Amino acid sequence: MAEYVILGGGGHARSVIAALVLRGETVRGYVAPEPSPALGPLTHLGDDDCLDALPPHVLLANGLGTTGSTHARRRLHEQVIARGMEVAQVLHPRAFIDPAADLGPGVQVLAGAIVNAGARLAEGALINTGAIVEHDTEIGRHAHVAPGAILAGGVRVGLGALVGLGSRVLPGIAIGADSVVAAGAVVVADVDPGSIVMGIPARPRGDRGDTQ
Ligand SMILES: CC(=O)SCCNC(=O)CCNC(=O)[C@H](O)C(C)(C)COP(=O)(O)OP(=O)(O)OC[C@H]1O[C@@H](n2cnc3c(N)ncnc32)[C@H](O)[C@@H]1OP(=O)(O)O
């Protein structure tokens, strides 16, 4: 039987653990530089060095969330792949995922999120609590759709973009790679790669200057 190991020990790790436990999965412990009080009695397995010693039946779940940038979460995923290991999907049992949606490896869809028909979620994409990804929308690799964001039909979100809390994106809009849509924004026009847009209607704030 599969057992999960969580990568990271913060708040997102707790959401991931909750989703897995509700699915009836077994969580063996977590990997983090230090023990995390946030994860209570769950076993701290050690830092990254312990990964190579894990038995082959163990599945790894990305427990790193995003703050202002998706880079650290993406880097962790890519480090695991570089070790020849896989990052498992985490699909909350109370998310709705249309059977005609296409989900890549390591995708996470958390509690109450909706992923509609024809949506495509690329490797490592995160659809957070209560977000809505409408039909035929494409979420790029390692992009994060934050809690409560709503993406209309036919939206395209680029690699590593962060679509912030409670934002709205109108049909067919393209959100560029590594851009940030601010919390609460309403996006009515395409968003340039690497830019931050905010407000209603969303306007660019300038380059992020984020090279993490
Ligand atoms: C489970 C989870 O928690 S997932 C969390 C996912 N995270 C998110 O959704 C957060 C998205 N990030 C944001 O919205 C951020 O506020 C950003 C990226 C837009 C701006 O962050 P920062 O660069 O740190 O900006 P900072 O907080 O210094 O504010 C700069 C200015 O923008 C304003 N501002 C900040 N956020 C917003 C926003 N969402 N909408 C409108 N204005 C904003 C501030 O009031 C400030 O204005 P001022 O210069 O007039 O005082």
Side-chain angles (χ1 to χ4, degrees):
M1 182 174 160
E3 277 186 308
Y4 285 78
V5 165
I6 312 301
L7 306 173
H12 187 68
R14 295 175 73 183
S15 297
V16 165
I17 292 164
L20 292 171
V21 169
L22 273 172
R23 289 195 78 95
E25 305 289 0
T26 301
V27 178
R28 183 187 183 106
Y30 66 99
V31 175
E34 304 291 339
S36 169
L39 297 192
L42 189 65
T43 305
H44 177 235
L45 297 166
D47 62 15
D48 288 357
D49 291 341
C50 75
L51 289 175
D52 293 329
L54 292 174
H57 71 274
V58 161
L59 298 171
L60 301 176
N62 193 341
L64 212 56
T66 71
T67 48
S69 159
T70 61
H71 285 94
R73 174 179 165 78
R74 172 182 170 187
R75 195 162 49 232
L76 178 61
H77 180 107
E78 289 173 346
Q79 284 167 353
V80 169
I81 302 298
R83 283 174 181 258
M85 306 167 93
E86 291 179 19
V87 182
Q89 291 181 343
V90 177
L91 308 178
H92 195 288
R94 296 196 187 120
F96 172 79
I97 303 170
D98 191 282
D102 181 21
L103 275 51
V107 158
Q108 298 184 345
V109 184
L110 296 189
I114 296 174
V115 176
N116 250 334
R120 288 184 290 281
L121 313 183
E123 179 171 358
L126 165 58
I127 312 303
N128 219 320
T129 313
I132 298 176
V133 175
E134 266 301 342
H135 62 85
D136 304 309
T137 279
E138 295 178 20
I139 309 296
R141 287 188 300 119
H142 307 295
H144 176 190
V145 180
I150 301 179
L151 278 59
V155 167
R156 285 160 291 140
V157 177
L159 167 74
L162 168 60
V163 183
L165 292 159
S167 61
R168 310 280 190 265
V169 183
L170 269 58
I173 296 283
I175 307 282
D178 289 319
S179 62
V180 174
V181 173
V186 176
V187 184
V188 302
D190 290 355
V191 173
D192 288 340
S195 63
I196 298 177
V197 298
M198 55 173 64
I200 303 174
R203 304 279 188 219
R205 193 188 76 168
D207 290 338
R208 291 170 62 187
D210 180 355
T211 55
Q212 280 182 3

